[in-house]
Structures are given as C-alpha cells and as structure tokens.
Amino acid sequence: PREWFNPDGTSKYKDPAVRLLKALYGHPKAGDYWADKLEDTLKGQGYARDEAWPGVFVKDAGKETMTMIVVYVDDLLFVGDADELNKIIPLIRKVVQMEDPTTLTKYLGVHHHINRGTKGTEFVFDMRDYFKSAADIFQKESGLTLKPAPTPYAPDLKQADLDALQAKPGKWAKSAASIVMRLMYGARMAHPGVMTAVCRLSRELSRWTADSDRKLVRLMSYVVGSTDHALHGSLQFDDRDHLKLVAWPDADLCG
C-alpha cells in the first residue's frame, strides 16, 4: 500500500510477505475458498450435495417442490419449482454477489433455444457465434482467407510428399494448442461433426509438423463453411414410455 512508503517514495519493505485474507482471483486456493463459501451457503438453505455429481446441490429430492442448483466455477444454473426458486435466490444473494437471474439462454458458451409445444420439447444447442469467432481469429492470426471445404479431413497424399511434410516443423506449432483446444470444446458441446478431426489433430500437438498445418487449414476451412450448423434435438411426449438411455462412461466411470 502507498501508505507504507517512505516520504521520498521508497518502500519501507523489501519483498514483503503478507497473510492472504481474501481469495484473490488467480490465487491457487481461490477456487477452493469460493467453493467452500458457496457450499456452506447452500447447505444453510437446506441443499445437499449430490454424491455422484459434486457440482449439483438438491433440495426436497423427489417432492413437487424439488429444486436443484448446478455449479460450474462461478456459473449457477437453477432448476425446479418456480415458487421455491423465487424464495431461495434472494436468500442466496444476501451472502453471494450475483447478477440478476435470467431464463436459460447461454450457458458455458452454448446458446440454448427451447421450444415447448403440445407434443413435446425441441432444443437447439447453438455455438454458431463461437465457431465463427474461432474461424475469424485463425484467419487473422494466419493471414489466410479460407474457402469453405466440404469435409474437415485433409486429402491423402503420396507417401513421399507426406514424409517430406512430416519432416518439417509446422509454422503454427506455438499457437496450435489454443486453436485446437478451442475447437475441441465447441465440438464437445454442439458440433460433433468436427469431433473426430479435432481429436486426431490434438494427438499431434506435441510433435507439430507442416502436415499438421495442412490438416489444421483444412479443418478450419470446414469450420468456415459450417458456421451455420447447430445441434438439434427433441423429446416427444408419445415416446415417454419407450425411452431407453444408453451411456458410454468415461474411463473414470463417473463422467
């Protein structure tokens, strides 16, 4: 603090160490402090943490007034009985600073368009702005003007040409990780059409070559031509009694 400086502007202290009283953003323990504070707040209002999903808190499970709060870092998703939520949210806001809650639209980078009809519910998981931004950033950084490609996969080459490219280091080796990881998140959330190409390219991040550059350009060219794509789905009331849930768990058996 400036108050601790000498009149001539020099500091009274050299490399001072001070006790941390608040969870500063970016501090290694800040996330833990925030999670502990939020958990104590929710438990104080009657919520219990779901054992299988640590980021989910539930109150009145199985009852008509059941409510659920899904926590992802500092994003909160409220689900359940409207009257109960209208009671609980003001109580939480007394101890947790938060913006005014709104109807679910954008969550974790995905725009959710929901149409509830008499026969069922239709969903659109929309990341078109996200992919357009990713394509624009790549074109700006690379200096390329990409033309739409019909598939995300680069064409096969003759073995000699392929060997020559793989022997040369790629020009985008330093920025490849951020570009590919940006696409991987979007693919996981709302664009399965690029998932295979993105995952294959991610295996080359630690040994990026000129052939990797070629694959990345092709992938981004496909993204440029598919920025109007969104993931659509629906649930029909007539199918309610015939629903079958099939899951492929992650290696941790809890994903």
Side-chain angles (χ1 to χ4, degrees), residues 33-224:
Y33 293 155
W34 156 246
D36 292 343
K37 174 182 175 62
L38 185 62
E39 181 177 4
D40 291 343
T41 300
L42 297 179
K43 285 184 175 180
Q45 299 300 329
Y47 283 82
R49 184 190 292 272
D50 188 284
E51 292 184 4
W53 297 90
V56 176
F57 293 84
V58 182
K59 182 178 181 181
D60 295 335
K63 300 180 180 179
E64 290 186 1
T65 57
M66 173 181 172
T67 55
M68 184 166 59
I69 299 176
V70 183
V71 180
Y72 185 85
V73 190
D74 58 354
D75 282 328
L76 303 181
L77 177 64
F78 296 89
V79 184
D81 179 73
D83 291 336
E84 179 63 24
L85 290 179
N86 287 334
K87 296 176 184 177
I88 194 68
I89 291 176
L91 295 176
I92 295 175
R93 297 187 73 180
K94 287 183 177 180
V95 290
V96 175
Q97 294 183 18
M98 54 186 287
E99 298 174 352
D100 292 335
T102 61
T103 302
L104 180 63
T105 53
K106 185 178 181 181
Y107 184 63
L108 301 182
V110 185
H111 292 278
H112 298 261
H113 307 293
I114 305 172
N115 181 25
R116 306 183 190 280
T118 56
K119 295 184 178 181
T121 304
E122 296 179 349
F123 294 86
V124 179
F125 302 94
D126 181 359
M127 294 186 74
R128 286 174 281 199
D129 292 342
Y130 180 92
F131 279 101
K132 186 178 185 303
S133 174
D136 290 343
I137 291 173
F138 178 74
Q139 291 184 98
K140 182 178 180 180
E141 292 181 352
S142 66
L144 300 175
T145 300
L146 302 178
K147 296 181 179 179
T151 73
Y153 309 105
D156 293 335
L157 299 176
K158 293 181 179 180
Q159 191 60 46
D161 295 335
L162 180 61
D163 291 343
L165 286 175
Q166 290 180 339
K168 293 172 55 180
K171 65 174 69 175
W172 297 309
K174 292 184 178 180
S175 58
S178 63
I179 299 170
V180 174
M181 291 302 107
R182 186 180 295 122
L183 293 181
M184 181 172 284
Y185 179 72
R188 175 179 176 234
M189 301 300 289
H191 199 338
V194 299
M195 179 62 83
T196 299
V198 170
C199 287
R200 287 178 180 173
L201 200 53
S202 70
R203 296 181 301 186
E204 303 183 19
L205 291 176
S206 61
R207 47 185 176 85
W208 197 263
T209 68
D211 186 54
S212 306
D213 286 342
R214 181 180 73 96
K215 294 175 181 176
L216 179 59
V217 170
R218 174 67 181 218
L219 175 57
M220 295 304 302
S221 296
Y222 177 76
V223 170
V224 166

